[in-house]
């Protein structure tokens, strides 16, 4: 029986990871630690809430005393760390929130894990989930590989880069077994509608403008969130300790091409004339310091561990649009703040 701590399991990617682990590994005790910030939503994981191998803990990774006592109490054998402030635009308006959670919060977890197992790290693992944004911005050609030098450009990216470095320093200094994965842009069910795809689906549904930053010719590599969760499972079980794995879909889209595909899919699914959604496209002021292009080379992960994405982008996007259209209660609650009132009532 292993005690596995997953942080940030009420968020977008974390909820898919928690579900996969709870359903696939009945012999693991899965503890989901989440502060339930604006981005954390227990409605993401109602289906596994009563599973016998699952425990939810509301708590903040910034709280060092709480984190230390939690590790002492549950003796976590392994950690998968996803909890973070994750939205680039918010990091531009409030960088300190990112430094506090992503840097200091990660350091708190590392210290607690080290104090628990120092000298006896057999079969222990600290898995740190990170982003391709640590590598900075690419020109027209080239891909990020695991050895690409770090060059983070936004406060979010810098806070994630710092946390990656601190994880590696604990591996080097205390021989703490760790693994890091750096993933490209995720999309799928349960993503908070501040990120491009769910925001635009919500706005098209509600006939609101689609705010395209700058010229719209920024490029991202998109990966279906369930494929990210499966990659994390594979790396957690088969990845080499102290290694880094890049995860990505070999699936580059300019924002404008993606937005046009999304508009076409929504016109069909909402049964409205072709071109209706695209009329909502509105060019707005660019994001400060906007990274031009990200693209991941995931060859190491596919060659060493046999991973590959399970869906094409068109299929994944279609499934994603269907999910948001079928889950209007979830979307309405998230955008109206109903769930926040619920948490206030439940947890104070
Ligand atoms: P998210 O914002 O949807 O979820 C973050 C979760 O962390 C929320 O449930 C939130 O309540 C929780 N959290 C935030 N601060 C906390 C704190 N101080 N203590 C405890 N819990 C806290 O984020 P996401 O998009 O699911 O990203 C998850 C992880 O994956 C992050 O580390 C992010 O950097 C990384 N990542 C995200 C993407 C992406 O495209 N979304 C891609 C690559 C890597
Ligand atoms: O690359 C991985 C990263 O992907 C993750 O680490 C981050 O947590 C995640 O938020 C995401 O970052 P991006 O900044 O790439 O994602 P976002 O959805 O915010 O924006 C995608 C692109 O769309 C980007 O070029 C900015 C643009 N955009 C975004 C929004 C919200 C717009 O043009 N208009 C918008 O309203």
């Amino acid at each position: 029986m292993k005690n596995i701590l997953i942080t940030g399991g009420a968020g977008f990617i974390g909820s898919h990871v928690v579900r996969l682990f709870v359903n696939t590994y009945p012999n693991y005790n899965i503890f989901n630690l989440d502060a339930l910030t604006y981005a954390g939503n227990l409605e993401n994981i109602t289906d596994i809430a009563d599973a016998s191998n699952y425990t939810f803990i509301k708590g903040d990774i910034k709280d060092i005393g709480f984190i230390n006592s939690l590790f002492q109490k549950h003796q976590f054998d392994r950690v998968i760390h996803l909890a973070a402030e994750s939205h680039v635009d918010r990091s531009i308006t409030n960088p300190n929130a990112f430094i506090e959670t992503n840097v200091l919060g990660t350091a708190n977890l590392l210290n607690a894990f080290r104090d628990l197992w120092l000298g006896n790290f057999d079969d222990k693992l600290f898995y740190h989930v990170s982003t391709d944004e640590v590598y900075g911005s690419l020109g027209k050609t080239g891909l990020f590989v695991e050895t690409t030098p770090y060059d983070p450009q936004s406060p979010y990216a810098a806070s994630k880069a710092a946390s990656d470095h601190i994880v590696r320093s604990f591996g080097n200094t205390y021989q703490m077994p760790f693994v890091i994965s750096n993933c490209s842009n995720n999309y799928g069910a349960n993503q908070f509608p501040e990120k491009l795809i769910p925001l635009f689906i919500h706005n098209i549904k509600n006939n609101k403008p689609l705010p395209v930053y700058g010229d719209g010719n920024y490029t991202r590599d998109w990966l279906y969130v369930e494929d990210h969760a499966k990659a994390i499972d594979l790396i957690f079980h088969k990845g080499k300790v102290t290694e880094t794995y890049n995860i990505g879909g070999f699936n580059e889209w300019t924002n404008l091409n993606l937005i046009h595909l999304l508009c076409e899919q929504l016109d069909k699914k909402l049964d409205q004339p072709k071109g209706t959604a695209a009329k909502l496209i509105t060019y707005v002021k660019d994001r400060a310091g906007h990274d031009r292009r990200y693209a991941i080379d995931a060859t190491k992960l596919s060659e060493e561990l046999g991973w590959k994405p399970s869906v094409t982008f068109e299929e994944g996007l279609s499934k994603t649009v269907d999910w948001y259209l079928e889950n209007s209660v979830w979307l309405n609650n998230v955008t109206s703040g109903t769930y926040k009132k619920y948490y206030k009532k439940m947890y104070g």
Side-chain angles (χ1 to χ4, degrees), residues 3-296:
N3 286 351
I4 315 285
L5 174 68
I6 301 181
T7 69
F12 167 48
I13 301 170
S15 61
H16 290 274
V17 174
V18 164
R19 175 178 300 105
L20 183 66
F21 272 71
V22 166
N23 289 336
T24 314
Y25 304 106
N27 54 329
Y28 295 166
N29 290 317
I30 306 293
F31 295 83
N32 173 9
L33 169 66
D34 198 297
L36 300 179
T37 68
Y38 79 95
N41 185 352
L42 289 176
E43 282 181 29
N44 293 346
I45 34 173
T46 45
D47 54 324
I48 47 125
D50 297 326
S52 58
N53 61 339
Y54 173 72
T55 306
F56 175 72
I57 301 162
K58 183 178 184 297
D60 196 323
I61 61 169
K62 299 195 294 293
D63 184 343
I64 188 167
F66 163 75
I67 290 297
N68 285 337
S69 56
L70 195 70
F71 274 70
Q72 292 300 328
K73 181 174 174 196
H74 296 294
Q75 307 271 303
F76 300 120
D77 299 289
R78 291 184 163 217
V79 177
I80 307 177
H81 175 37
L82 295 111
E85 290 292 339
S86 70
H87 191 39
V88 174
D89 291 331
R90 289 181 191 254
S91 83
I92 294 166
T93 50
N94 185 8
N96 279 15
F98 287 68
I99 292 157
E100 284 158 15
T101 287
N102 300 358
V103 184
L104 297 176
T106 301
N108 288 341
L109 295 170
L110 287 165
N111 277 306
F113 194 63
R114 178 206 53 198
D115 290 351
L116 192 55
W117 300 117
L118 188 65
N120 182 22
F121 278 124
D122 286 356
D123 204 32
K124 306 295 182 271
L125 184 70
F126 191 99
Y127 184 153
H128 181 58
V129 175
S130 193
T131 171
D132 62 358
E133 299 203 10
V134 298
Y135 299 123
S137 185
L138 288 163
K140 285 202 170 77
T141 57
L143 300 171
F144 296 133
V145 291
E146 285 79 1
T147 50
T148 301
Y150 276 28
D151 186 23
Q153 298 296 315
S154 70
Y156 162 68
S159 70
K160 292 296 291 188
S163 66
D164 292 10
H165 289 316
I166 297 167
V167 172
R168 290 194 181 98
S169 79
F170 271 62
N172 181 57
T173 309
Y174 308 110
Q175 286 72 55
M176 178 188 284
F178 74 90
V179 70
I180 299 177
S181 56
N182 296 80
C183 188
S184 61
N185 285 59
N186 284 218
Y187 68 97
N190 304 103
Q191 187 170 30
F192 193 83
E194 63 186 353
K195 310 279 166 65
L196 181 73
I197 291 179
L199 175 74
F200 277 36
I201 296 172
H202 175 258
N203 286 10
I204 292 169
K205 252 186 88 183
N206 294 287
N207 203 31
K208 287 182 169 172
L210 306 177
V212 176
Y213 296 164
D215 64 5
N217 285 315
Y218 292 85
T219 299
R220 296 291 182 266
D221 168 1
W222 293 90
L223 181 69
Y224 191 51
V225 64
E226 291 182 21
D227 284 331
H228 187 187
K230 284 180 201 154
I232 289 174
D233 181 2
L234 199 58
I235 294 166
F236 179 85
H237 289 99
K238 304 229 167 88
K240 284 195 206 132
V241 166
T242 75
E243 292 281 319
T244 295
Y245 293 89
N246 279 356
I247 312 175
F250 288 108
N251 177 45
E252 288 183 51
W253 289 76
T254 65
N255 292 343
L256 274 179
N257 285 343
L258 185 161
I259 290 161
H260 280 290
L261 175 65
L262 191 62
C263 287
E264 277 167 34
Q265 289 199 355
L266 272 143
D267 282 345
K268 279 195 197 133
K269 289 175 196 285
L270 293 172
D271 208 13
Q272 58 193 26
K274 207 172 164 197
T276 307
K279 283 194 192 125
L280 298 169
I281 291 174
T282 309
Y283 290 89
V284 299
K285 188 167 173 273
D286 210 348
R287 170 183 282 175
H290 200 166
D291 286 336
R292 195 64 172 167
R293 175 170 167 257
Y294 305 145
I296 278 275

Side-chain angles (χ1 to χ4, degrees), residues 318-338:
S318 174
K319 278 156 81 132
T320 302
V321 171
D322 288 344
W323 188 86
Y324 285 94
L325 294 180
E326 283 158 16
N327 287 274
S328 46
V329 173
W330 183 93
L331 197 53
N332 290 343
N333 283 349
V334 164
T335 47
S336 73
T338 305

